[in-house]
């Protein structure tokens, strides 16, 4: 079974292959990602002259799934496996006819006969497929290493990092570059609503925008993913303690962010949140320029006149005292305004390093966000149903505060599924309690795979404390209990689901119940 690259397909021997722009081929600009992939010589096409069979072990992760789609668009035979499949990545894989194996088994690899095996960072020793690869002495690579060696080495990269807002900020930067007539590559950890997909190769002369996670790369490479990503522009949205399974404390998190700042060249830039106290603790990068974004007077790019209502929000951006743009858009929350400002400056510096305000920001009014980021699943005169990826106390609190400002007449019901490694443990339990206080009613789902944890989140204790603070709170035995608790009609009620997983499909089931209720619906 050919798991390793042979001499004719060794990617390292082909990295300097020349890349042709669309105009060199006498072709009009492409209209979508697929068209772009078919009509331009992208870096990945330069590397892989012939089709390869690429196997993604853990394919339903957002980055893994999006990269699998890109590989197929570039003409490769792609398949993969995962323990379970859930929306939106499962839908994406089906739409692109990518074969998948549900469950892990050595038989999957024997049947697939891949040339290359990409191991996701959720996969570890003991996995049947990993153990089979180890016994075969087969070559494995991580997704960050694959991207670094085969793509990012040839590009000027915008790497978007931070505890919160990476997906939205990455999407915004790619969106603005596209709207300014560029053909950036991008890899987004979600499904954007205003781009063709969550991934594109772009063309070699334009930036590649990538979401840079501080989580580790693979079970055999414990460095943060973003260490592989070769930043030219490094965007740091915010820094908080997260990923308690791999970091000891906030100091440990700051250490890995310090490391990634050292990878920025003198000709690049570091774009930071100028209002974040933890970012201010990072050592000053004297070898390159650092620019600040935020509300404070010392920020190079300043956010002014933010306001929010039921229709969205508005704000102004000032670059070193001069008005850059005024924006009214449908996005909610100051955190999304900050995401926009960080994205705008990062994108602007990537193509106009001397004057980033040459980037036209008028398209921000058209931006509609990313699926599962404050995504409205249903709305009518009485009820609003929202799905959100929030799984950290700060993100949950900011979203609830924004929803309160946008829907002041509604009772807010927060449904929280503790699913991420940090959310499942009790290390931030009091922070989650404080964050959820911003809701009127709180339903706490069972902790995902709690039997694997020494100190899991105590949802019953949380419910008791929230009740003592005047909230209606309940720790549930099963996610399906929500189908009884959220029966229509729900007058003047906003329900928001917080989870970085599927929530067992409960948000979609509740939406179906609401749509079938005898009332006029506006979806």
């Amino acid at each position: 079974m050919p798991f390793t690259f042979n001499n004719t397909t060794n990617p390292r021997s082909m990295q300097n292959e020349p890349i042709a722009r669309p105009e060199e081929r006498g072709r009009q600009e492409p209209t979508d990602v697929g068209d772009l992939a078919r009509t331009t010589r992208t870096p990945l096409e330069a590397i892989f002259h012939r089709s390869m069979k690429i196997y993604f072990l853990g394919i339903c992760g957002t980055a893994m799934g999006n990269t699998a789609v890109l590989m197929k668009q570039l003409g490769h035979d792609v398949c993969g496996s995962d323990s379970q499949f859930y929306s939106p990545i499962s839908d994406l894989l089906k739409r692109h006819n990518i074969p998948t194996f549900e469950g892990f088994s050595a038989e999957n690899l024997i049947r697939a006969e891949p040339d290359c095996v990409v191991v996701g960072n959720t996969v570890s020793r003991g996995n049947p497929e990993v153990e089979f690869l180890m016994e075969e002495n087969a070559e494995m690579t991580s997704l960050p290493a694959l991207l670094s060696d085969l793509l990012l080495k040839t590009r000027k990269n915008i790497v978007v990092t931070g505890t919160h807002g990476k997906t939205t900020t990455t999407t915004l930067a790619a969106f603005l570059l596209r709207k300014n007539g560029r053909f950036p590559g991008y890899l987004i950890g979600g499904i954007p609503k205003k781009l063709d997909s969550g991934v594109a190769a772009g063309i070699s002369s334009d930036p590649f925008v990538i979401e840079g996670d501080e989580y580790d790369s693979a079970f055999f490479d414990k460095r943060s993913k973003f260490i592989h990503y070769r930043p030219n522009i490094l965007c740091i949205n915010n820094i908080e303690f997260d990923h308690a399974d791999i970091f000891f404390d906030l100091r440990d998190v700051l250490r890995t962010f310090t490391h990634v700042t050292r990878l920025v060249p003198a000709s690049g830039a570091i774009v930071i949140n100028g209002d974040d106290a933890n970012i201010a603790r990072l050592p000053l990068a004297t070898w390159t320029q650092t620019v600040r974004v935020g509300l404070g007077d010392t920020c190079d790019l300043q956010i002014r006149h933010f306001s929010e209502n039921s229709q969205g929000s508005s704000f102004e951006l000032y670059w070193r005292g001069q008005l850059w743009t005024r924006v009214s858009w449908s996005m909610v929350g100051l955190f999304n305004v900050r995401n926009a400002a960080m994205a705008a400056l990062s994108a602007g510096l990537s193509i106009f390093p001397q004057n980033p305000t040459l980037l036209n920001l008028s398209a921000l009014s058209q931006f509609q966000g990313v699926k599962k980021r404050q995504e409205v699943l249903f709305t009518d005169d009485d009820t609003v149903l929202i799905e959100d990826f929030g799984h950290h106390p700060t993100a949950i609190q900011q979203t609830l505060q924004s929803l309160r400002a946008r829907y002041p007449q509604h009772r807010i019901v927060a449904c929280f599924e503790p699913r991420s490694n940090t959310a499942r443990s009790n290390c931030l339990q009091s922070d989650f309690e404080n964050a959820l206080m911003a809701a009127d009613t709180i339903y706490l789902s069972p902790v995902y795979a709690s039997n694997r944890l020494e100190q899991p989140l105590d949802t019953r204790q949380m419910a008791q404390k929230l009740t003592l603070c005047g909230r209606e709170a309940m720790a549930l035995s099963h996610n399906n209990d929500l189908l009884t608790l959220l029966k229509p009609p729900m007058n003047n009620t906003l329900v928001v689901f917080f989870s970085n997983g599927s929530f067992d499909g409960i948000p979609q089931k509740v939406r179906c119940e609401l749509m079938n209720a005898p009332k006029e619906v506006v979806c």
Side-chain angles (χ1 to χ4, degrees):
M1 183 167 55
F3 288 111
T4 57
F5 294 111
N6 60 40
N7 291 334
T8 61
T9 60
N10 185 342
R12 299 177 188 274
S13 67
M14 304 181 190
Q15 286 165 350
N16 296 320
E17 187 79 6
I19 312 298
R21 290 182 61 91
E23 59 265 29
E24 294 171 354
R25 293 169 173 257
R27 171 79 199 263
Q28 299 208 351
E29 61 186 42
T31 57
D32 61 36
V33 175
D35 197 20
L36 184 62
R38 288 188 295 271
T39 59
T40 66
R41 173 70 63 86
T42 68
L44 285 171
E45 283 175 309
I47 293 159
F48 295 128
H49 281 299
R50 67 175 182 83
S51 176
M52 292 182 65
K53 188 173 286 188
I54 304 176
Y55 188 99
F56 288 83
L57 209 172
I59 197 171
C60 203
T62 49
M64 292 280 280
N66 277 327
T67 305
V69 169
L70 174 60
M71 293 296 104
K72 179 161 186 180
Q73 289 176 340
L74 295 176
H76 302 293
D77 188 0
V78 174
C79 63
S81 61
D82 216 318
S83 57
Q84 59 181 319
F85 291 82
Y86 51 83
S87 179
I89 299 300
S90 59
D91 299 332
L92 180 73
L93 296 172
K94 288 179 182 177
R95 192 159 62 248
H96 289 272
N97 297 313
I98 293 177
T100 58
F101 301 97
E102 185 160 4
F104 297 117
S105 168
E107 183 65 26
N108 297 340
L109 288 164
I110 294 170
R111 291 172 58 191
E113 297 188 19
D115 297 302
C116 175
V117 179
V118 184
V119 180
N121 73 335
T122 62
V123 177
S124 60
R125 288 302 303 265
N127 179 291
E129 297 185 20
V130 169
E131 296 307 313
F132 178 75
L133 292 168
M134 297 291 287
E135 289 298 326
E136 292 288 316
N137 198 25
E139 184 150 346
M140 297 178 285
T141 189
S142 69
L143 183 67
L146 180 81
L147 291 166
S148 177
D149 290 343
L150 306 186
L151 176 61
L152 301 179
K153 189 178 287 187
T154 66
R155 305 295 285 270
K156 295 290 187 181
N157 305 305
I158 301 173
V159 181
V160 179
T161 71
T163 310
H164 320 294
K166 293 185 292 293
T167 300
T168 300
T169 305
T170 304
T171 304
L172 277 159
F175 173 78
L176 287 170
L177 288 167
R178 289 287 291 267
K179 290 296 183 179
N180 276 262
R182 301 290 180 140
F183 299 113
Y186 50 86
L187 180 60
I188 298 166
I191 308 296
K193 297 180 181 178
K194 272 291 185 176
L195 292 170
D196 305 309
S197 72
V199 65
I203 57 177
S204 62
S205 57
D206 280 342
F208 194 96
V209 192
I210 186 166
E211 186 171 331
D213 194 354
E214 69 271 26
Y215 205 75
D216 59 9
S217 299
F219 75 86
F220 48 83
D221 182 357
K222 307 313 286 183
R223 291 174 295 173
S224 293
K225 294 179 187 176
F226 57 41
I227 297 297
H228 291 277
Y229 289 165
R230 306 173 182 271
N232 184 64
I233 304 294
L234 176 65
C235 172
I236 309 178
N237 271 355
N238 39 65
I239 299 177
E240 289 194 75
F241 178 64
D242 197 5
H243 306 307
D245 52 321
I246 61 170
F247 294 113
F248 294 112
D249 50 25
L250 177 60
R251 184 177 178 180
D252 201 22
V253 177
L254 290 168
R255 175 189 52 80
T256 195
F257 275 92
T258 299
H259 290 171
V260 75
T261 64
R262 295 171 182 165
L263 300 175
V264 180
S267 59
I270 302 175
V271 179
I272 65 172
N273 177 348
D275 302 326
D276 190 286
N278 290 328
I279 293 177
R281 295 171 59 182
L282 296 176
L284 181 65
T286 57
W287 53 87
T288 191
Q289 65 169 325
T290 298
V291 288
R292 292 167 174 79
V293 177
L295 302 173
D297 292 336
T298 61
C299 291
D300 299 277
L301 181 60
Q302 191 176 26
I303 300 167
R304 298 183 188 176
H305 306 131
F306 167 73
S307 63
E308 187 173 25
N309 56 40
S310 60
Q311 303 304 311
S313 61
S314 62
F315 60 96
E316 295 177 353
L317 295 180
Y318 283 78
W319 171 247
R320 295 176 175 166
Q322 300 298 313
L323 178 66
W324 186 354
T325 191
R326 293 185 177 93
V327 179
S328 293
W329 65 347
S330 62
M331 302 294 288
V332 299
L334 180 59
F335 56 92
N336 272 322
V337 171
R338 196 184 301 276
N339 292 339
M342 299 287 286
L345 186 53
S346 297
L349 288 170
S350 72
I351 56 176
F352 302 117
Q354 302 305 316
N355 183 9
T357 63
L358 292 175
L359 188 77
N360 188 329
L361 303 183
S362 61
L364 283 174
S365 62
Q366 306 168 27
F367 186 73
Q368 294 180 5
V370 182
K371 285 189 176 183
K372 293 190 71 172
R373 271 66 174 181
Q374 303 98 47
E375 182 179 12
V376 178
L377 301 180
F378 174 93
T379 182
D380 67 9
D381 292 338
D382 290 325
T383 309
V384 180
L385 190 67
I386 292 175
E387 187 174 24
D388 190 74
F389 197 71
H391 54 281
H392 187 279
T394 299
I396 290 174
Q397 185 175 47
Q398 289 178 345
T399 298
L400 288 172
Q401 290 172 343
S402 176
L403 292 174
R404 179 72 70 188
R406 193 172 187 183
Y407 299 94
Q409 306 303 319
H410 283 65
R411 165 179 164 258
I412 295 181
V413 178
C415 306
F416 174 48
E417 182 186 37
R419 192 178 181 96
S420 74
N421 287 327
T422 302
R424 292 163 57 218
S425 76
N426 66 358
C427 64
L428 296 179
Q429 182 164 316
S430 61
D431 297 298
F432 277 115
E433 292 166 359
N434 292 334
L436 291 165
M437 281 285 292
D440 300 299
T441 300
I442 301 97
Y443 295 133
L444 301 168
S445 289
V447 176
Y448 179 76
S450 61
N451 59 317
R452 304 177 193 170
L453 301 173
E454 292 184 6
Q455 295 180 311
L457 192 75
D458 191 334
T459 56
R460 296 189 183 280
Q461 187 179 82
M462 288 178 64
Q464 291 172 0
K465 288 188 177 180
L466 288 164
T467 300
L468 288 173
C469 292
R471 302 298 185 270
E472 179 186 352
M474 185 183 302
L476 308 179
S477 300
H478 304 282
N479 282 343
N480 281 338
D481 294 344
L482 289 167
L483 297 177
T484 301
L485 294 166
L486 300 176
K487 284 281 187 184
M490 292 185 285
N491 297 328
N492 293 325
T493 298
L494 182 151
V495 180
V496 54
F497 293 93
F498 291 108
S499 176
N500 68 327
S502 66
F503 223 128
D504 291 338
I506 298 299
Q508 289 70 33
K509 293 175 183 177
V510 173
R511 177 177 181 269
C512 289
E513 288 282 338
L514 291 168
M515 292 187 70
N516 291 329
K519 60 176 73 174
E520 185 176 351
V521 173
V522 179
C523 291

